[in-house]
């Protein structure tokens, strides 16, 4: 499972549509569908029930989205922390280059 797959599934959940989510994510619908199916296969659980008029979230999917959002929030916090630390360290360095 990749972080990007969780982001993609959450976007489908938020929009209620694979097509709308694909547009928002700037990817083609078939790529998004393949990614979601791959995620479901890896988990051994369906996240969505595909219907003629859209999608429906499974009970597993509801729990997946709750935990997935928490995971993404934590991941984003870690990235922010790393960026801040990197920026702080760069401020402390002083370098001179000569040829």
């Amino acid at each position: 499972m990749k972080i990007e797959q969780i982001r993609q599934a959450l976007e489908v959940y938020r929009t209620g549509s694979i097509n709308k989510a694909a547009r928002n994510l700037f990817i083609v619908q078939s790529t998004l569908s393949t990614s979601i199916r791959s995620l479901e296969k890896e988990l051994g659980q369906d996240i969505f029930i595909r219907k003629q008029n859209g999608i429906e979230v499974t009970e597993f999917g509801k729990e997946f989205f709750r935990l997935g959002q928490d995971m993404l929030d934590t991941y984003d916090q870690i990235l922010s922390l790393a960026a801040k630390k990197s920026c702080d360290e760069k401020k402390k360095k002083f370098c001179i280059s000569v040829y």
Side-chain angles (χ1 to χ4, degrees), residues 12 15-23 29 32-33 36 50 55:
V12 172
T15 61
S17 164
I18 293 176
N19 286 327
K20 287 178 188 175
R23 281 194 301 268
Q29 180 270 329
L32 180 56
S33 291
I36 299 295
R50 287 127 180 106
I55 57 162

Side-chain angles (χ1 to χ4, degrees), residues 16-69:
S17 164
I18 293 176
N19 286 327
K20 287 178 188 175
R23 281 194 301 268
N24 292 349
L25 295 166
F26 303 104
I27 58 177
V28 295
Q29 180 270 329
S30 60
T31 299
L32 180 56
S33 291
T34 300
S35 180
I36 299 295
R37 286 191 193 280
S38 174
L39 175 61
E40 290 174 325
K41 183 177 179 182
E42 181 179 344
L43 294 172
Q45 296 285 330
D46 287 336
I47 298 170
F48 300 107
I49 298 170
R50 287 127 180 106
K51 296 184 170 192
Q52 289 286 3
N53 57 347
I55 57 162
E56 184 179 312
V57 179
T58 64
E59 286 302 313
F60 173 81
K62 290 174 186 175
E63 195 64 17
F64 173 85
F65 293 122
R66 184 184 66 77
L67 295 170
Q69 186 60 61

